[in-house]
Amino acid sequence: MRILVINGPNLNLLGEREPSVYGDNSLEAINVELSEKAAELGYEIEFFQSNGEGALIDRLHAARLDCAGVILNAGAYTHYSYALRDAIAAIKIPVVEVHLSNVDSREEFRKTSVIAPVCKGSISGFGKQSYMLALYALDNIFGEK
Ligand code: DQA
């Protein structure tokens, strides 16, 4: 079973981008930890990052054919991309929304997630552990099937 981790705009700069908000870890370092945990749990894991809305949508479409579930940090697209929302709604595999920061404790515009209603669930505010919690959530879903 393969799990896909998708990171959207500006998340390639993790580690150097606003570390007081997003932490010191690079995306690469987070992905290494996720790979180790996924292997322990018996999953294949794949990573995709893009700053472009279309590329994220294309990868979500492809995931419906080759992945069991998706962990998605859509970055700022979370707050306004109806196209991304529709892509998630179009595929049947579970998508877990994640955010490093607690989006509800920040600016007003971050309190809206247009993707949340079509995601299986949302995890926000636990730093890099948000991704790990999403992995456990998917493991739980698959375990129930
Ligand atoms: C983020 C929160 C978003 O509001 C922001 O635009 C990001 C990162 C997070 O992981 O906390 O790029 O998704």
Side-chain angles (χ1 to χ4, degrees):
M1 264 182 152
R2 185 181 303 146
I3 291 173
L4 174 65
V5 182
I6 300 183
N7 278 283
N10 302 308
L11 292 161
N12 54 311
L13 296 185
L14 281 182
E16 43 177 301
R17 173 194 182 202
E18 300 181 79
S20 60
V21 179
Y22 298 117
D24 300 325
N25 289 100
S26 65
L27 184 57
E28 180 62 30
I30 293 173
N31 290 349
V32 167
E33 280 188 40
L34 277 171
S35 296
E36 288 167 3
K37 186 51 73 181
E40 256 176 54
L41 295 171
Y43 297 105
E44 270 181 60
I45 194 158
E46 198 179 311
F47 301 97
F48 181 78
Q49 191 277 329
S50 177
N51 295 316
E53 195 176 12
L56 296 171
I57 291 167
D58 287 343
R59 191 63 192 92
L60 278 167
H61 289 178
R64 83 190 196 285
L65 303 174
D66 64 5
C67 296
V70 176
I71 295 169
L72 171 65
N73 186 345
Y77 288 137
T78 302
H79 313 301
Y80 67 92
S81 174
Y82 298 122
L84 204 56
R85 177 205 155 103
D86 284 353
I88 297 165
I91 61 175
K92 293 191 180 75
I93 57 173
V95 176
V96 180
E97 173 188 10
V98 304
H99 300 286
L100 293 138
S101 64
N102 179 349
V103 284
D104 288 307
S105 72
R106 299 180 62 197
E107 301 94 325
E108 271 311 304
F109 75 91
R110 293 188 208 275
K111 293 181 183 163
T112 299
S113 168
V114 300
I115 66 168
V118 291
C119 286
K120 188 75 186 169
S122 305
I123 299 166
S124 162
F126 298 98
K128 64 179 181 177
Q129 295 304 329
S130 291
Y131 293 92
M132 211 60 92
L133 293 169
L135 181 59
Y136 290 132
L138 284 177
D139 182 46
N140 217 271
I141 292 166
F142 301 144
E144 282 171 0
K145 282 192 179 159

